[in-house]
Amino acid sequence: MTGKVFFSVSMSLDGFIAPGSTEELMGQQWMELQQWAFPLRFFRENLKLGDGGEEGRDNDIARETFERTGASVMGRRMFDAGEHAWPEEAPFHTPVFVLTHERRDPWERLGGTTFHFVDDGIRAALDQAREAAGDRDVRIAGGGAAILEYVNAGLVDEFTIALSPVLFGSGIRLFEGVDAARVALEPVRAETSPRVTHLTYAVRER
């Protein structure tokens, strides 16, 4: 049995998951959006930032998301932004399939992350990710355009939004251009913490 296809992102209260330009991706707005994750013990462990860190439900959710993921798919924009920002031991520790329009040899990093570049569409990338993941889940890591493609194609089973108490005003909206006529959502759970609200939905065909 193959696992689920899901995505998990942080989102501002006004619906944005990233700034509009790649130059701002690691800027102040993005840091504020992700602020709930930085103090977590799992975050510090995964990025080799040293001992310590907060535990609790936020930390459990971050760890559970990582542990359920057997492979990831991401868009080229996200890869391009992260290629120079991720540490040498990239934080995925699984195969990652990058949607692209150009051929490139796999890029192997320390710690078990290998980036594979797929130039024949989202379904081909997902098929390869499913095979690599085995009975674990496939995460659509982002960015917004890649997530939207998979949602509109009916290929996402569920998703979780970490709703952060920040406002962007502009940027990349999570569901900008969604085919709402064919996508229905079913609430699964809502969990709150002092920093963020985690909202999980199953995706159904309308």
Side-chain angles (χ1 to χ4, degrees):
M1 292 291 291
T2 58
K4 293 180 178 179
V5 177
F6 79 103
F7 67 86
S8 177
V9 296
S10 296
M11 187 176 78
S12 68
L13 282 175
D14 51 348
F16 298 95
I17 61 172
S21 70
T22 55
E23 290 76 15
E24 299 174 288
L25 274 178
M26 300 300 173
Q28 181 178 350
Q29 275 191 317
W30 186 88
M31 297 291 284
E32 291 177 357
L33 182 68
Q34 305 293 344
Q35 189 63 41
W36 68 275
F38 296 144
L40 303 181
R41 175 182 289 273
F42 175 75
F43 183 89
R44 294 182 58 80
E45 289 174 354
N46 194 34
L47 289 179
K48 302 291 190 294
L49 299 177
D51 296 332
E54 297 180 5
E55 300 195 20
R57 188 60 188 140
D58 285 343
N59 190 65
D60 291 344
I61 289 172
R63 187 180 299 278
E64 289 163 5
T65 300
F66 174 83
E67 291 176 346
R68 70 183 284 192
T69 302
S72 296
V73 176
M74 72 174 56
R76 184 58 189 260
R77 181 177 185 270
M78 180 178 177
F79 173 80
D80 287 346
E83 184 174 10
H84 304 292
W86 293 316
E88 187 176 8
E89 185 171 327
F92 302 96
H93 307 293
T94 64
V96 178
F97 297 86
V98 181
L99 302 167
T100 183
H101 295 296
E102 58 186 274
R103 294 187 179 276
R104 177 173 167 178
D105 292 336
W107 187 41
E108 187 173 348
R109 308 299 286 157
L110 297 177
T113 302
T114 299
F115 294 94
H116 302 270
F117 300 89
V118 183
D119 64 353
D120 50 353
I122 65 171
R123 292 180 184 272
L126 182 57
D127 288 344
Q128 293 179 50
R130 283 188 187 277
E131 184 175 357
D135 59 359
R136 295 165 72 191
D137 296 339
V138 173
R139 181 179 184 180
I140 310 302
I147 288 172
L148 187 66
E149 281 192 87
Y150 280 99
V151 170
N152 282 343
L155 297 174
V156 172
D157 298 309
E158 72 175 37
F159 63 87
T160 297
I161 292 171
L163 191 61
S164 294
V166 297
L167 298 172
F168 267 34
S170 64
I172 296 176
R173 288 189 182 275
L174 177 57
F175 293 116
E176 187 73 41
V178 70
D179 186 358
R182 63 171 297 181
V183 177
L185 303 179
E186 177 183 320
V188 175
R189 60 184 170 272
E191 301 178 83
T192 61
S193 77
R195 290 195 181 94
V196 72
T197 300
H198 302 276
L199 304 171
T200 301
Y201 298 89
V203 183
R204 303 283 184 260
E205 186 172 352
R206 185 181 296 277

